[in-house]
Amino acid sequence: MWNLAYADLSRVALGVHAVSNTSVLVAGGGGPIQAGPAVFASEDAGATWATAPGIKLSMVNAIGASPHGRVAFGVSLYGQSIAFHAEGDDLAAAYKGSSDRSPSATSGQDVEFLGDSTFAAIGQFNEWQNKSACTVPASPQCSGVLLSRDGGDTFERYPWGGSDAPGVDARYAAFPSSKTWYAAGGHFPLGSGNAMQAHFGASQPNRSAVGAGYPPEPPGYRALVTKTTDGGATWATVFNDTSFNKSRMFYFNQIGCASDAACWAVAECPAAECPDDGYGMFIYHTADGGASWEEQYYEYEASALSLQVLPGRVVVGGGPVGVASNGFVWESTDAGKSWAKSILKGHGYVMDVDMLADGAGFAVSCVAFPLSKCAVWRK
């Protein structure tokens, strides 16, 4: 059962990371605890909070940490670089400060801890590994995985191979093994009702960079998943809706995998232009490494951003389309054959959820109007 842990943590809360049953990190900012961008840390299951000081970025958009929080960092939105990097058991005290560890990184929506001191940030970046500017025809930015094997000091760039039109970018990724990775993303029109836009006025991160000399963005939606089986050296497209979803309009948000072959991805079409029978959220599943995909779940007038795959459990977070007073968490314990829905009442849309193997976990939810405020939930 989900219970409210803290009612008014911040004005923005886009990411949550459960380090343990009692230790939790939240990426966001604003509000009564800290006015600007922040990484919040609680060691008592959300009863009290400390913040990492001195973050200079416009927004902290995702957060990841190793077991016990010994190394953590986040990524930001809107043309900023890696935002947060801390070492030690007390993350707030050990915070190293905003840095230019990856000056080519422009934005990101996902951070994944892959083991030891290895992290991946998924999003857009401005230059290739050799420092030359991105020259893909569709966009002035590269898109894919930024991988750090040293806790954020240096990064390797792995373009996902899916940026085949302006604004078509990697947004989330899954790493079921050291060599097999999946990246999910796509395109949604500006003003389409994307959950991040609806709650915080945010558009696709790289839109501001598309200028003179670049083709105009496509008018519709696009949903892509790409896959590598050699650690990012080469990529293949395993899901590509090139018809702009005339019957099923959507784009992908988060993806997660139970193995190299079995993955789930959450998608949505939350806008007026969506067809009547496709105005909502979707959960797609592959059991054969992306060779085929099954639509396992659809809910009308619902939206979803986050998805997590755990042993024996798949968890999705979201809420109703539009201005949400309640949030939703969907859980499946039978590989997606059935889904149980929890309603987190009175504190807005569930922006992110992070569970532990024992079924405990945390979620963050935000209500946008009349004043944006975000809450933390505990299960």
Side-chain angles (χ1 to χ4, degrees), residues 118-133:
T118 302
F119 289 85
I122 297 87
Q124 292 80 44
F125 40 95
N126 281 335
E127 61 188 23
W128 300 109
Q129 189 68 31
N130 64 5
K131 307 296 184 181
S132 63

Side-chain angles (χ1 to χ4, degrees), residues 188-199 202 221 251 253 268-274 279 302-305 320-323 349:
F188 55 84
L190 290 175
S192 64
N194 167 266
M196 193 172 293
Q197 292 186 55
H199 286 269
Y221 291 77
Y251 56 89
N253 286 319
E268 62 178 353
C269 189
E273 65 266 25
C274 304
Y279 178 53
S303 165
L305 276 176
V321 171
V323 179
Y349 185 102

Side-chain angles (χ1 to χ4, degrees), residues 17 22 46 48 62 75 79 96 139 156 232 269 358 360 363:
H17 181 80
T22 56
T48 61
V75 293
K96 286 188 172 182
S139 169
E156 303 161 11
C269 189
D358 63 2

